[in-house]
Amino acid sequence: MSAQTPYDLVGVGIGPFNLSLAALADGVPDLNALFLDAKPAFSWHPGLLMEGTTLQVPFLADLVTMADPTSPWSYLNYLRSHDRMFPFFFSERFLIPRREYDHYCRWVAESLPSCRFDARVTAVEWDESAGAFAVTHRSADGTATRVLARQVVLGVGTSPVVPEPLRPLLTDEHRGRVLHSADYRTHRAALAAADDVTVIGAGQSGAEVVLDLIRHQDGQGLGGPFTRWLARTPAFAPMEYSKIGLEHFTPDYIRYFRALPEERREHLVREQWQLYKGVSADTLGAIHDELYERTIGGGRPRADLHPGVELRAVETDGDGYVLTCRHSPQDSEFTFRTSAIVAATGYSATRPAFLDTMSDLVDWDDRQRYRVDGQYRVALDPRVGGTLYVQNAEMHTHGVGAPDLTLGAWRAAKILNAVCGRPVLPVPEQAAWTTFGAPEGAPAAGSAAGPGPAAADRRPDPIGTLR
């Protein structure tokens, strides 16, 4: 395909979500697709691929199965291709090793001809003369290539969030001593040898870092780093993992959430932190077990756990750091010294620099975020004849399921159907037992209206159109 012939679809970024789209698109014979990523090869959170860590979703939430279980790119077919079906069967796993999920995704990415690495996208523009997006990408040797695309899907992932007091310390001078958990594995050995390590953040990555550091202590808790775990949340709380609670990760909830006023959506996302920021009960249990072992015989574990604490300031002190913190429930401040700091403070969607070339053509909301419709299309200036889609940057419009792997294949199928202009894959809109919101057809309070239509006759409202 020449550079002058537009691709039907170009995906920018090859993380799990765009890789899911690439895998599902591979089964569409008349679709010309290209996916670009700056990395030399696929990698997924390499800084947190510690032994013993698992996904927090079942293996069925792979790249394709929830949309097309017959796809050759399923996790089960990966196991068969690597002669691991019997070992997997006997292991009776539902939550698979994170390292194996990374290897599975790499296998898919290396097998799909549409995936191209060492291709850093530097600009996405609307080429009015071509009636297509112009996507410029550059390889590591500096070679620039320009391709045209009728439709573009952004899947560039999220960026680490670091508390403001720590940002000035993210320099080479403090490298390996002040870092985000995304880089933990790179500096793991040095942190394990430190005298005192403070981990900030009550989510899964924070818990896994704490557990790993405690395990580097000897059996009596005498050697290894003193480990301190701080969290703003009022408790180190388990992730909501009940069967009914998980129905927040369904198309039904997305439809309900999208219909709410913006202010209410913002409030709900903050309220629902345990749905996506909690810790697996197994990890919390493992931390407790490790601490229990280290108190046998009357010993004191070299670890402190502090919920309800907010970091206020950080000062350097020789080869260490003095942290000033506020305990929110007591409204009191305290300080302590530590040798190293790991910020396990999550990730957020950021606007990629390559969109600067067409920023004035994007209809940003009041907070400079994408306006995203039910088919994951970004609202653009009417002068743009092509379509821009986004993955995992729409929590504000679609709810807590945006970053979750559970809905990845379903969302990719929705986008694929929109790209092709026809139902390539079936996408159920009803999947939950829960009725989110008032029952359809029920009369309002005080109304004399009769009963609504029978449940069997009700149909979900169509998901919203482009604003």
Side-chain angles (χ1 to χ4, degrees):
M1 174 176 292
S2 72
Q4 300 305 311
T5 304
Y7 284 90
D8 297 312
L9 169 66
V10 168
V12 183
I14 307 178
F17 295 136
N18 257 3
L19 185 56
S20 175
L21 180 58
L24 294 172
D26 185 59
V28 183
D30 56 343
L31 182 68
N32 296 317
L34 175 68
F35 291 82
L36 305 169
D37 196 282
K39 297 187 297 290
F42 181 90
S43 63
W44 182 70
H45 294 300
L48 289 170
L49 296 182
M50 284 94 75
E51 300 81 359
T53 57
T54 67
L55 290 188
Q56 292 177 275
V57 294
F59 71 89
L60 291 174
D62 61 14
L63 298 172
V64 295
T65 297
M66 296 294 281
D68 182 10
T70 68
S71 169
W73 306 117
S74 70
Y75 175 73
L76 289 179
N77 196 42
Y78 157 83
L79 292 173
R80 183 180 68 172
S81 300
H82 291 80
D83 292 329
R84 291 177 61 80
M85 188 68 82
F86 274 91
F88 176 75
F89 177 78
F90 294 134
S91 72
E92 297 185 344
R93 289 179 178 272
F94 205 44
L95 303 178
I96 63 176
R98 196 178 293 166
R99 290 169 60 231
E100 187 163 49
Y101 178 78
D102 175 72
H103 189 259
Y104 153 66
C105 289
R106 198 176 321 129
W107 170 70
V108 175
E110 291 173 354
S111 302
L112 292 175
S114 62
C115 291
R116 186 179 302 173
F117 292 89
D118 185 23
R120 180 183 298 277
V121 172
T122 57
V124 174
E125 306 167 88
W126 176 248
D127 187 330
E128 189 172 351
S129 62
F133 294 101
V135 180
T136 303
H137 61 90
R138 190 177 298 274
S139 63
D141 65 8
T143 303
T145 305
R146 183 178 185 268
V147 298
L148 298 178
R150 297 185 180 92
Q151 304 179 79
V152 171
V153 181
L154 303 179
V156 295
T158 52
S159 301
V161 173
V162 176
E164 192 278 330
L166 294 179
R167 292 172 196 167
L169 302 176
L170 296 178
T171 63
D172 288 342
E173 180 184 356
H174 303 279
R175 180 176 173 81
R177 293 183 294 145
V178 179
L179 60 140
H180 190 274
S181 57
D183 298 318
Y184 174 72
R185 197 159 173 245
T186 302
H187 304 287
R188 182 186 187 191
L191 290 168
D195 294 330
D196 183 296
V197 179
T198 297
V199 180
I200 302 172
Q204 182 67 22
S205 58
E208 288 173 354
V209 169
V210 167
L211 178 59
D212 191 64
L213 289 170
I214 292 174
R215 284 174 170 168
H216 276 90
Q217 300 173 358
D218 65 25
Q220 287 73 46
L222 300 176
F226 184 94
T227 303
R228 187 180 293 100
W229 190 13
L230 309 181
R232 288 187 303 175
T233 53
F236 296 105
M239 180 170 287
E240 168 58 74
Y241 207 73
S242 68
K243 295 176 182 179
I244 297 298
L246 289 176
E247 291 192 344
H248 286 84
F249 302 97
T250 59
D252 310 64
Y253 185 74
I254 291 175
R255 184 172 60 253
Y256 159 76
F257 186 86
R258 280 185 45 73
L260 294 173
E262 180 179 346
E263 183 178 342
R264 183 56 186 156
R265 293 199 303 260
E266 301 287 344
H267 182 70
L268 262 182
V269 168
R270 291 193 298 270
E271 279 187 335
Q272 295 170 336
W273 62 272
Q274 276 188 255
L275 286 169
Y276 63 102
K277 288 185 177 180
V279 183
S280 78
D282 287 345
T283 305
L284 289 174
I287 292 173
H288 189 278
D289 290 346
E290 293 290 339
L291 297 177
Y292 182 88
E293 285 286 333
R294 282 154 178 76
T295 59
I296 294 175
R300 174 176 171 77
R302 300 188 68 242
D304 281 341
L305 281 58
H306 298 283
V309 170
E310 180 183 0
L311 177 66
R312 303 300 294 269
V314 181
E315 296 180 359
T316 58
D317 179 31
D319 59 352
Y321 307 91
V322 174
L323 278 64
T324 299
C325 299
R326 175 179 175 269
H327 189 275
S328 299
Q330 294 180 334
D331 193 20
S332 61
E333 286 196 349
F334 61 96
T335 63
F336 62 88
R337 189 183 187 280
T338 189
S339 305
I341 305 168
V342 180
T345 42
Y347 303 80
S348 68
T350 56
R351 184 193 303 185
F354 60 73
L355 270 189
D356 290 349
T357 46
M358 60 171 294
S359 178
D360 60 336
L361 297 176
V362 177
D363 183 14
W364 307 103
D365 72 6
D366 293 340
R367 302 190 186 188
Q368 293 300 295
R369 300 171 301 190
Y370 305 109
R371 300 183 190 271
V372 187
D373 80 350
Q375 282 69 47
Y376 298 91
R377 298 175 296 197
V378 174
L380 300 174
D381 188 287
R383 290 173 293 172
V384 179
T387 308
L388 182 68
Y389 301 85
V390 70
Q391 302 214 62
N392 193 15
E394 74 285 354
M395 185 183 286
H396 59 292
T397 58
H398 287 65
V400 294
D404 196 89
L405 295 176
T406 302
L407 283 163
W410 177 87
R411 176 175 53 198
K414 288 276 289 186
I415 293 173
L416 184 62
N417 288 346
V419 165
C420 294
R422 65 183 191 278
V424 175
L425 291 170
V427 282
E429 299 296 345
Q430 289 186 296
W433 300 120
T434 304
T435 298
F436 297 103
E440 293 180 26
S447 169
D457 296 329
R458 295 199 296 266
R459 297 292 183 268
D461 294 331
I463 292 181
T465 55
L466 187 66
R467 285 185 284 176

